[in-house]
């Protein structure tokens, strides 16, 4: 159909104009938007030769098959092509100017059905709306682009050969390559980016469309990259088409076990079905844990917890300031001996102040594992001094601190919450009330701050459950302020010293089972000593989305784990074979752990070599 030059104010065409204009503004003038289009045809050759057939979506660009979203049509005896789609295929920019479209020397008004070539009006019938989509005469489009035009005698086959557009000389250029063009399902795609700016400006942003590190279903996939330079100028999208075909070489789980970054979540719907392995206690030196978490949010200055130690001890405090005024948390040490006593801090981790509860435990553990603190206070008989003093806590802010101390004699340790400005002196301490338990949380002294366990892997996959209160029972202690027995739910502050044997050729992950979890673990794998943040970003929440912990390189792995304050237990450590048998996860529970061989950092995967290059 054609348009009259001047629709009336009440014409239906005028009512759709705002919507049409909005749609035009949203149309990307990018070659990359078309499936099956080769980027090189548009970006590297001098001309784009497009061959199209009436009523067929299949065409050819520089001899390569091309599928248009909409076919050419014969409208009123003219061979007409969809304007935007053909502009994309010819790699020509299509610009929205008000309610009109400009391409080359051609200006088109879809609303009125008019067109102007170099400012000269063209005869009616060269522009039409077909199903609400702007169409234009193929011959007029070629004229507007200064392109060569040929058509067969029947008017059904048309070829347009257009010089590719020069583009914006100030715009950066997006470029990337892949290591191959055809991949098997589950095979890793290695991307190499090489965008550039004509004036050498920095590339400050990248926007990918359709990128995946592996594709698991056969088909054609178009991947596009668009970059922005330091001046804020954006490139045109650059695209490549990836074909996926043939037998699968990996599953999503198998791929994730090989390539996911440490601390990233992977998907495993069957994680809770794996058998639990039994850990054997190992005799090892231990010491008491002094735990202060009740009242968790004190509303007044006072003593939170107090006990006497001699030798090694671990201190863990977790509190929120509910005093309605700034306050500080202190751990005070008082010498009970008739001689000088040394109090040495061997290790310390701290988070304060923060209002984000999930940060409290994770940051403290990362701090603790990285700590090389070795500070000593020498106390005269009866002398009182702070072995820990928090920063000032705003109203509602929290603090979490974990310390390993060694004393050369009997020392009284007191956890205090004091409103800011009140000094932690012996006189003040003697006048402070002992704050009552809040009925929800624990405090007390718990023997066995180190739980040494040995695990022997014989079948994979398998799970080691921690903090459930059954397979891993809570330790028992006593509140020295009341004499009340205490059960340390979650074993917060307990260091699990895990020795896992049979780890060569495995992959280890953490599965949260009680809700939100944010923590850290320290790994000793041969000569490698590494602390892993879990998860790397955000929170671990869902049991069947475990977080990748480690790919062991040796047959014995030592893991130091402390349940993270502010997070939920239980958790499971999941041990997978690095090489999954076949392509189906259901066969995993029957896999024998014998003969796994090879380090998890290399070797071969399912039917193909692990690709280690990642630019």
């Amino acid at each position: 159909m054609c348009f009259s030059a001047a629709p009336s104010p009440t014409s239906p065409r005028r009512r759709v104009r705002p919507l049409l204009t909005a749609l035009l503004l949203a149309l990307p003038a990018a070659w990359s938007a078309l499936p099956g289009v080769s980027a090189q045809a548009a970006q590297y050759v001098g001309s784009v030769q497009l061959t199209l057939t009436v009523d067929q979506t299949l065409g050819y660009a520089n001899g390569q098959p091309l599928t248009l979203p909409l076919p050419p049509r014969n409208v009123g005896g003219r061979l007409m092509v969809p304007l935007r789609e053909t502009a994309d295929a010819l790699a020509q920019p299509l610009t929205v100017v008000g309610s009109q479209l400009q391409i080359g020397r051609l200006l088109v008004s879809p609303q009125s059905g008019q067109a102007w070539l170099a400012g000269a009006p063209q005869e009616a019938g060269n522009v039409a709306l077909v199903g609400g989509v702007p169409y234009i005469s193929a011959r007029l489009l070629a004229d507007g682009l200064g392109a060569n035009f040929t058509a067969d005698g029947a008017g059904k086959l048309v070829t347009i050969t257009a010089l590719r557009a020069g583009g914006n000389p100030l715009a950066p250029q997006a470029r990337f390559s892949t290591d191959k063009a055809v991949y098997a399902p589950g095979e890793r795609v290695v991307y190499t980016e090489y965008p550039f700016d004509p004036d050498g400006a920095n590339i400050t942003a990248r926007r990918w469309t359709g990128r995946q590190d592996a594709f698991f279903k056969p088909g054609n996939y178009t991947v596009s990259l668009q970059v922005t330079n330091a001046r804020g100028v954006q490139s045109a999208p650059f695209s490549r088409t990836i074909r996926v075909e043939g037998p699968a070489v990996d599953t999503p789980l198998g791929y994730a076990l090989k390539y996911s970054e440490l601390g990233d979540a992977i998907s495993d719907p069957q994680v809770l079905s794996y058998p639990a392995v039994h850990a054997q206690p190992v005799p090892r030196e231990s010491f008491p844990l002094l735990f202060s978490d009740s009242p968790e949010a004190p509303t007044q200055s006072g003593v939170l917890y107090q006990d006497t130690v001699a030798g090694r001890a671990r201190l863990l405090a977790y509190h929120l300031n509910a005093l309605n005024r700034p306050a500080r948390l202190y751990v005070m040490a008082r010498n009970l001996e008739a001689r000088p006593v040394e109090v040495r801090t061997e290790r310390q981790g701290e988070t304060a102040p923060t209002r984000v509860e999930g940060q409290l435990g994770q940051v403290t553990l990362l701090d603790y594992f990285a700590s090389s603190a070795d500070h000593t206070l020498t106390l005269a008989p009866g002398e009182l001094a702070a072995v820990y003093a928090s920063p000032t806590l705003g109203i509602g802010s929290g603090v979490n601190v974990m310390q390993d101390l060694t004393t050369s004699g009997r020392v009284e340790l007191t956890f205090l919450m004091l409103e800011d400005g009140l000094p932690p002196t012996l006189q003040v301490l003697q006048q402070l009330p002992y704050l009552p338990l809040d009925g929800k949380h624990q405090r007390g002294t718990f023997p066995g701050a180190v739980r040494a366990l040995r695990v022997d892997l014989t079948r994979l996959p398998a799970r080691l459950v921690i903090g459930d209160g059954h397979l891993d029972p809570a330790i028992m202690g006593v509140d020295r302020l009341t004499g009340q027995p205490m059960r340390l739910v979650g074993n917060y502050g307990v260091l699990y010293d895990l020795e896992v044997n049979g780890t060569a050729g495995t992959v280890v992950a953490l599965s949260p089972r009680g809700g939100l979890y944010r923590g850290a673990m320290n790994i000793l794998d041969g000569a490698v000593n590494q602390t892993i943040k879990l998860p790397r970003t955000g929170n671990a929440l869902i049991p069947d989305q475990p977080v990748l912990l480690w790919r062991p390189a040796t047959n014995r792995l030592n893991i130091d784990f402390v349940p993270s304050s502010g997070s939920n237990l239980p958790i499971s450590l999941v041990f997978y074979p690095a090489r999954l048998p076949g392509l189906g996860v259901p066969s995993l529970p029957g896999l024998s752990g014998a003969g796994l061989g090879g380090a998890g950092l290399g070797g071969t995967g399912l039917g193909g070599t692990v690709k280690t290059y990642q630019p």
Side-chain angles (χ1 to χ4, degrees), residues 23-24 31 41 113 135 222 229 244 246 265 288 359 365 390 397 444 446 497:
L23 290 173
L24 293 174
W31 174 270
Y135 271 66
T222 300
N229 65 16
V244 179
Q359 288 179 347
L365 288 176
S390 77
S397 288
F446 300 87
D497 184 356

Side-chain angles (χ1 to χ4, degrees), residues 284-287 289 312 314 347 365 368-369 402 404 448-453 466 475 488 491-498 520-522 559-563:
R284 198 158 296 172
E285 178 193 2
S286 190
F287 45 87
L289 166 69
R312 297 191 69 190
R314 175 171 300 129
R347 212 170 190 182
L365 288 176
Y368 176 83
F369 286 130
M402 186 162 67
D404 286 351
V450 176
R451 176 168 283 184
L453 301 172
I466 297 176
I475 62 175
L488 186 57
N491 286 349
Y492 294 104
V494 175
L495 174 67
Y496 286 79
D497 184 356
L498 303 173
M521 291 189 188
N522 194 77
I559 304 174
D560 283 347
F561 169 71
V562 181

Side-chain angles (χ1 to χ4, degrees), residues 179-243:
D179 59 322
K180 54 199 294 189
V182 180
Y183 295 84
E187 183 179 1
R188 189 182 199 190
V189 181
V190 178
Y191 297 89
T192 301
E193 300 177 29
Y194 48 97
F196 65 92
D197 183 85
D199 294 326
N202 290 333
I203 303 297
T204 58
R206 292 165 171 79
R207 185 168 68 88
W208 289 90
T209 303
R211 173 172 173 163
Q212 295 183 42
D213 291 335
F215 299 87
F216 295 96
K217 294 182 179 180
N220 291 326
Y221 298 89
T222 300
V223 181
S224 301
L225 172 65
Q226 194 168 22
V227 299
T228 304
N229 65 16
R231 296 186 296 268
V233 181
Q234 198 172 58
S235 74
F238 179 91
S239 300
R240 291 188 184 274
T241 297
I242 292 171
R243 181 162 183 80

Side-chain angles (χ1 to χ4, degrees), residues 499-521:
E499 177 188 306
V500 186
N501 297 295
T503 56
T506 68
V507 181
V508 191
L510 178 146
S511 171
R513 291 183 50 197
L516 181 148
Y517 193 87
R518 291 174 67 171
M521 291 189 188

Side-chain angles (χ1 to χ4, degrees), residues 351-364:
T351 311
T354 180
R355 295 179 182 273
V356 182
E357 192 170 358
Q359 288 179 347
L360 285 167
Q362 186 178 62
V363 174
T364 296

Side-chain angles (χ1 to χ4, degrees), residues 256-345:
L257 293 177
K258 282 199 283 286
Y259 292 118
S260 291
E261 291 193 45
L262 302 182
D264 279 354
I266 62 179
S267 178
D268 182 7
Q270 298 193 60
V271 67
L272 293 180
S273 69
Y274 302 149
V277 295
H278 297 286
Q280 300 296 323
V282 177
R284 198 158 296 172
E285 178 193 2
S286 190
F287 45 87
L289 166 69
L290 276 63
F291 182 59
S292 179
D293 185 33
S294 187
E296 186 172 280
T299 58
Q300 66 178 101
S301 296
V303 174
L304 299 164
Y305 188 60
Q306 187 178 73
D307 198 4
T308 300
V309 301
R312 297 191 69 190
R314 175 171 300 129
L315 316 181
L316 177 61
Y318 182 97
H319 292 285
L320 306 174
N321 175 19
L323 270 65
N324 291 322
R325 61 182 65 86
R328 299 180 72 182
L329 175 75
Y330 299 92
V331 180
M332 306 300 298
R334 184 166 69 94
N335 181 4
L336 300 180
E337 302 281 4
R339 57 179 175 81
V341 169
E342 289 186 347
V343 180
R344 183 163 67 93
T345 298

Side-chain angles (χ1 to χ4, degrees), residues 422-437:
L422 195 62
T425 63
L426 183 60
Q427 293 79 9
V428 170
L429 189 153
Q430 291 171 343
Q431 298 177 37
L432 290 173
Y434 291 95
L435 300 180
L437 293 162

